[in-house]
Amino acid sequence: MPLDAPARPAFLLLHGWEHHRPDGHWLRRLDAQLTDAGHDAYYPQLPDPDQPDLQAWLDVLDERLAALRGRDVVVICHSLGCLLWLHAVARRPGQVLAARVLLVAPPASEKVAGFPEITAFAHPGATAEHVAAAAPAGSRVVASDNDPYCPQGAREAFATPLGLDTDILPGGAHLDLEAGYGPWPAVLQWCLDPTVRIVAAAPASRADCVAAD
């Protein structure tokens, strides 16, 4: 590689509550696709996903970010992983933690607070300034218009108060394996090109994924 060639980005995938990296899930597929394409992708199984401890998850995130220091890091979060990221951002105000971030199906704090197992993740306290500083190349929210874990809508709960770009997808519920998000080409395309808009997984692909898995 020429000395002046830019280093390829590294990708960090953060999952949510009760997630055990199941076969077929779009995060697991994305990890494999990025790796197969020659990229450095990291998809850690966060400790005790059924009874998560916020500090333990933050420790894993900090360790991974420290290991990737000096790289352009692209972070893709799903569900509770989004609140994990926002807690990390709020605890390190003004620090650059990644190049860019995708927050997929973030759950509303009011819903999270209703589950004793994950109450600590609610209300991360991140501001628009925190989020902008943490990922200078930008952060984006991707959510459906009928997510039961964010009934007021992700635009209202996250994108508008945090000043974030948003892609709202019709009828995708929590954008998880149950909803057929399996194959999701648009997320891989965004990983490689941040100007790509995130669109829903094709209905045929979603049906095939549910049948296969």
Side-chain angles (χ1 to χ4, degrees):
M1 178 184 294
L3 293 179
D4 58 351
R8 303 184 85 183
F11 297 89
L12 178 59
L13 284 54
L14 300 175
H15 64 72
W17 184 31
E18 298 181 330
H19 182 98
H20 296 265
R21 301 196 298 184
D23 288 339
H25 192 285
W26 65 267
L27 274 175
R28 183 159 178 172
R29 290 173 183 263
L30 180 63
D31 175 55
Q33 290 167 329
L34 290 168
T35 300
D36 289 347
H39 296 282
D40 292 331
Y42 303 90
Y43 175 32
Q45 176 68 72
L46 296 169
D48 283 331
D50 298 329
Q51 300 278 342
D53 178 80
L54 174 60
Q55 188 57 56
W57 279 29
L58 283 167
D59 289 345
V60 172
L61 176 56
D62 286 345
E63 288 168 8
R64 180 49 56 190
L65 290 175
L68 295 172
R69 190 170 290 125
R71 302 280 302 275
D72 279 341
V73 180
V74 178
V75 179
I76 301 96
C77 312
H78 179 244
S79 190
L80 200 65
C82 299
L83 297 189
L84 170 66
W85 178 255
L86 294 177
H87 273 283
V89 163
R91 292 182 182 207
R92 297 165 71 176
Q95 293 189 37
V96 175
L97 303 182
R100 54 190 170 99
V101 177
L102 197 66
L103 301 169
V104 180
S109 284
E110 293 74 16
K111 292 293 275 190
V112 169
F115 295 94
E117 302 92 335
I118 56 174
T119 297
F121 287 80
H123 306 293
T127 67
E129 291 75 17
H130 295 153
V131 173
S139 299
R140 190 190 302 182
V141 171
V142 179
S144 79
D145 59 2
N146 66 337
D147 188 343
Y149 296 102
C150 194
Q152 69 267 57
R155 192 187 304 277
E156 292 74 15
F158 293 95
T160 298
L162 296 178
L164 302 181
D165 192 11
T166 317
D167 290 323
I168 302 297
L169 312 182
H174 199 48
L175 301 176
D176 53 10
L177 194 53
E178 252 181 48
Y181 282 75
W184 197 359
V187 176
L188 175 62
Q189 293 163 7
W190 176 87
C191 286
L192 306 178
D193 178 358
T195 67
V196 167
R197 305 308 308 186
I198 306 294
V199 298
S205 297
R206 290 160 65 180
D208 290 345
C209 170
V210 171
D213 296 324

